[in-house]
Amino acid sequence: MFRFWTVQHKSVLDVVAMNGFYQADVSKSPFVLENPPREELYRFLLDAFNKANDFCLNGLIFGFAYREDSQIHGFQDIYEFAAFLRQKKNVINILWKRFCSDDYVILCLDYPEDSFNPLFIDMNDFQFLMPPITILPPYTYDSIARIVTDIRHARISPGELPSYLIQAHLPVIHRENITEVYRMFSLDA
């Protein structure tokens, strides 16, 4: 099993309880609705994910893992996850603050190894691609080509500014994938 962590609105748990699963839809993403230029990036990720996995999904679930010694690992428990995020606060703080409320929960999700390619991307590379793309060192225009090529080929390579906090993309949350549910925690604690 590979363990991923994700932040979801509490309503996702209601959908899972009612339907047995939750499937995201990029056209209903609050991130896209509040900032429509993000849709191009999200659809690019979705298309690459669908091609890499031979799926036909309408959206992706964003999750977290970490990179160490060129290997991607899942956080084993909430304490390891929280400690790593606090260590990488400068990478995730703005996004985390958006979710840090009683409306959101942290889900620990387990999936069978090799059941899909999660299209891993370093959080700094993902944020660099977030529109509007701003070229600031150490990133260059060549960085765009590297990241896009990696995504298209469903691989991850060392970036210009690795954070080692890895974004993963998940196809669906089934009831049986949910191992634990946690309250949001502050990165300041």
Side-chain angles (χ1 to χ4, degrees), residues 43-55:
R43 290 212 180 270
F44 170 68
L45 288 168
L46 177 61
D47 290 345
F49 184 90
N50 281 335
K51 285 177 185 158
N53 292 290
D54 199 24
F55 290 168

Side-chain angles (χ1 to χ4, degrees), residues 26-27 32 36-53 57-60 62 118-121 125-126 128-131 133 143-155 167 169:
V26 72
S27 67
V32 169
R38 289 180 181 150
E39 185 170 0
E40 184 178 356
L41 173 59
Y42 284 29
R43 290 212 180 270
F44 170 68
L45 288 168
L46 177 61
D47 290 345
F49 184 90
N50 281 335
K51 285 177 185 158
N53 292 290
L57 303 174
N58 292 324
L60 297 172
F62 291 72
L119 216 62
F120 293 122
I121 182 172
D125 286 354
F126 177 74
F128 169 67
L129 288 183
M130 194 66 74
I133 294 176
S143 304
I144 299 170
R146 176 193 58 80
I147 298 166
V148 165
T149 300
D150 281 353
I151 292 168
R152 282 191 177 134
H153 292 350
R155 66 181 186 222
Q167 179 171 290
H169 304 89

Side-chain angles (χ1 to χ4, degrees), residues 70-83:
S70 74
Q71 297 292 317
I72 308 292
H73 304 279
F75 299 100
Q76 290 310 300
D77 57 44
I78 190 71
Y79 305 106
E80 185 181 27
F81 180 55

Side-chain angles (χ1 to χ4, degrees), residues 2 6 12 14-15 23 25-26 46 50 57 59 71 78 102 107 117 121 128 137 153 155 175:
F2 196 98
T6 186
V12 168
D14 296 335
V15 173
Q23 173 59 63
D25 185 336
V26 72
L46 177 61
N50 281 335
L57 303 174
Q71 297 292 317
I78 190 71
D102 289 337
L107 303 180
N117 183 321
I121 182 172
F128 169 67
H153 292 350
R155 66 181 186 222
R175 184 178 290 123

Side-chain angles (χ1 to χ4, degrees), residues 17-29:
M18 187 171 34
N19 299 333
F21 70 95
Y22 167 76
Q23 173 59 63
D25 185 336
V26 72
S27 67
K28 297 175 184 169
S29 164

